[in-house]
């Protein structure tokens, strides 16, 4: 399999966005659960640092592809029941995340189309 830095970054982004999707779904499911703190997922800065490392030769494609998403708990203010999930914020996050996922998936599909074209032209 061809595993270049671009493919690795796209793979890490899809993985991070999938993790974020699950966390948002958990948050929405627990909107009324007492003392539940909303989860947050971050990975974009880690991918950016890995890409910078790849550009300077400190990180290879496998390093970019193995960027893990960090899950943390929200420090937003809680309601009286100790829960800090905002359904409005979660719906916006879910929509934004789905758009980002679709965009990254289309970029990955474009990469595979280019590869398929290169292979067929070489035959």
């Amino acid at each position: 399999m061809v595993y270049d830095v671009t493919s690795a970054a796209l793979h890490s982004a899809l993985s991070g966005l999938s993790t974020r999707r699950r966390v948002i779904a958990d948050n929405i499911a627990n909107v009324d659960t007492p003392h539940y703190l909303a989860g947050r997922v971050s990975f974009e800065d880690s991918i950016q640092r890995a890409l910078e490392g790849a550009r300077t030769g400190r990180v290879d494609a496998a390093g970019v592809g193995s960027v893990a998403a960090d899950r943390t708990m929200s420090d937003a203010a809680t309601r009286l029941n100790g829960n800090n999930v905002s359904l409005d914020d979660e719906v916006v996050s879910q929509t934004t995340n789905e758009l980002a996922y679709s965009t990254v998936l289309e970029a990955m599909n474009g990469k595979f189309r280019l590869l398929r074209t290169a292979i067929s032209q070489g035959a």
Side-chain angles (χ1 to χ4, degrees):
M1 177 177 167
V2 176
Y3 200 65
D4 57 41
V5 172
T6 303
S7 296
L10 292 171
H11 178 268
S12 286
L14 286 174
S15 178
L17 290 164
S18 292
T19 299
R20 184 175 287 150
R21 177 189 288 171
R22 286 188 299 276
V23 169
I24 292 169
D26 288 346
N27 292 344
I28 291 171
N30 287 287
V31 70
D32 291 323
T33 303
H35 304 289
Y36 181 86
L37 297 178
R40 297 289 176 250
V41 174
S42 62
F43 60 90
E44 292 89 350
D45 290 342
S46 297
I47 291 176
Q48 186 64 38
R49 283 191 300 275
L51 287 171
E52 180 61 25
R55 189 185 67 75
T56 60
R58 295 186 319 260
V59 177
D60 62 3
V64 175
S66 64
V67 170
D70 295 324
R71 182 179 175 161
T72 59
M73 302 315 276
S74 171
D75 59 358
T78 61
R79 295 187 303 278
L80 292 176
N81 68 356
N83 183 306
N84 70 351
V85 176
S86 165
L87 187 57
D88 291 338
D89 291 347
E90 296 303 322
V91 170
V92 169
S93 294
Q94 183 180 37
T95 302
T96 302
N97 193 68
E98 293 306 315
L99 288 170
Y101 190 91
S102 294
T103 301
V104 173
L105 189 59
E106 184 55 36
M108 183 70 88
N109 286 336
K111 183 99 171 118
F112 284 128
R113 280 192 298 274
L114 285 172
L115 185 59
R116 198 170 28 250
T117 299
I119 291 169
S120 67
Q121 296 297 322

